[in-house]
């Protein structure tokens, strides 16, 4: 699929050392934090009505790219590079997982 509007992208990098549910939890928290720390309008949210469920969903018009890292050291290098270049980012680390997550 070719993206017509890709002036901005959300890149999500996950650590495969954790189980799937833990990764999904971390991605949700990291993306919510990133949205909360930036201008909501910058995400260009598009409304997608779902008449079958009498509801409406919102997604960004920009692509979301999901990558994987095999080691924590690769993620540490990425975080330092993002910080050094001033690219907006948010991280979720395993110490943020409390007893309630289980």
């Amino acid at each position: 699929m070719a993206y017509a509007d890709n002036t901005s992208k959300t890149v999500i990098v996950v650590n495969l050392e954790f189980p799937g549910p833990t990764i999904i939890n971390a991605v949700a928290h990291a993306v919510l934090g990133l949205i909360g720390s930036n201008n909501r309008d910058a995400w260009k949210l598009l409304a997608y009505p779902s008449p079958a469920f009498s509801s409406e969903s919102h997604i960004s018009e920009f692509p979301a790219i999901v990558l994987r890292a095999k080691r924590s050291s690769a993620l540490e290098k990425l975080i330092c590079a993002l910080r050094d270049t001033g690219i907006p980012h948010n991280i979720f680390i395993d110490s943020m997982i409390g007893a309630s997550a289980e």
Side-chain angles (χ1 to χ4, degrees), residues 48-57:
Y48 274 83
S50 180
F53 298 105
S54 300
S55 67
E56 183 175 87
S57 297

Side-chain angles (χ1 to χ4, degrees), residues 19-32 92-93 96-98 101:
T22 302
I23 292 172
I24 293 169
N25 178 58
V27 167
H29 280 289
V31 171
L32 285 168
F92 186 95
I93 56 177
M96 295 174 179
I97 299 172

Side-chain angles (χ1 to χ4, degrees), residues 8-28:
S8 184
K9 297 169 186 64
T10 300
V11 178
I12 302 160
V13 184
V14 298
N15 185 341
L16 294 180
E17 294 177 3
F18 295 94
T22 302
I23 292 172
I24 293 169
N25 178 58
V27 167

Side-chain angles (χ1 to χ4, degrees), residues 52-95:
F53 298 105
S54 300
S55 67
E56 183 175 87
S57 297
H58 294 87
I59 66 168
S60 175
E61 78 174 42
F62 301 125
I65 301 164
V66 180
L67 304 174
R68 61 184 178 179
K70 293 182 179 178
R71 292 177 201 83
S72 295
S73 60
L75 290 172
E76 291 171 14
K77 288 179 186 177
L78 173 62
I79 292 164
C80 291
L82 292 170
R83 183 194 61 229
D84 293 346
T85 57
I87 295 174
H89 62 283
N90 195 25
I91 60 172
F92 186 95
I93 56 177
D94 60 340
S95 64

